Amino acid sequence: MAIDESLIERTAHLLNRARYLNLATARDGAPWVATLEYAWFAGLLRFVFGSSTGARHSGDIRADPRVSGSLFVTGGAAGVAVASVDGAQFTGRCTEIGPERLEEYHAPFYETVFPDAGQRARWQLPPERLRGSAPHRLYRVDVERWWLIDTRHWEEDRIDRRIELPLDAGVQARLSAHAPVRAVSR
């Protein structure tokens, strides 16, 4: 099946422009959504975010790694035209990044979240504060499925739909071409 290249371009635009993702978790039938700063990694699409081990979503992830989420971009502030809004939804599995992989993700995460060196120096947690008994961790979401807002049909009939972009090897490779340069393996 041929993939519409505009879906890959839109996905790359969202991944590179959205500042926050909304991550949904659940435990014992109680849903929760957390808004998180993130960095994305290509190869196999992944998100990395930092959080307190005591946060509700962190506990939910320890109990059940299945997550879903969304991210979106707009053309500006209030009163934005519908045509300038774009978004995606995803499902995946989330795990704490252990000490054996922390060095791979630490610098790229903080460089993405705090591109200004001065801010990064102020807010970046050193690796030793992200392992052992420390109260913070980096987490990784391995994205399994990805959907974009179906903007074409919305313009025609005003019915809200999604288009799934299969994350096969070919799509993953084309997305990688849009990723910030990062030396991180799977």
Side-chain angles (χ1 to χ4, degrees), residues 6 8 22 37 40-41 48 57 65 67-68 75 77-78 86 102 111-112 124 126 148 151 157 167 170 177 181 186:
S6 71
I8 294 170
N22 296 306
E37 290 182 293
W40 76 280
F41 295 81
V48 171
H57 55 273
V67 297
S68 65
D86 202 0
L102 187 57
E111 288 166 4
T112 299
Q124 176 176 303
L148 292 161
T151 54
D157 61 17
L167 296 175
V181 177
R186 289 187 62 219

Side-chain angles (χ1 to χ4, degrees), residues 48-145:
V48 171
F49 65 90
S51 196
S52 162
T53 58
R56 179 167 169 181
H57 55 273
S58 297
D60 291 352
I61 290 163
R62 283 190 297 276
D64 184 348
R66 294 174 299 165
V67 297
S68 65
S70 65
L71 49 105
F72 70 95
V73 294
T74 65
V80 172
V82 170
S84 68
V85 175
D86 202 0
Q89 293 168 239
F90 62 89
T91 59
R93 292 189 142 344
C94 185
T95 56
E96 183 180 297
I97 296 174
E100 72 285 353
R101 305 291 306 266
L102 187 57
E103 292 302 323
E104 295 176 43
Y105 290 100
H106 183 265
F109 169 73
Y110 281 106
E111 288 166 4
T112 299
V113 172
F114 300 109
D116 177 79
Q119 284 186 335
R120 189 167 50 254
R122 180 175 180 199
W123 296 106
Q124 176 176 303
L125 293 175
E128 61 271 12
R129 295 205 42 208
L130 296 166
R131 61 178 157 233
S133 62
H136 294 91
R137 293 290 185 275
L138 293 184
Y139 294 85
R140 185 179 86 192
V141 176
D142 296 322
V143 178
E144 296 171 343
R145 296 183 72 187

Side-chain angles (χ1 to χ4, degrees), residues 3 7 9 15 71 75 79 108 133-134 139 152 156 169 174 182:
I3 301 293
L7 299 178
E9 294 292 328
L15 292 169
L71 49 105
S133 62
Y139 294 85
R152 289 185 188 146
E156 295 169 8
R174 287 154 56 200
R182 297 192 175 100

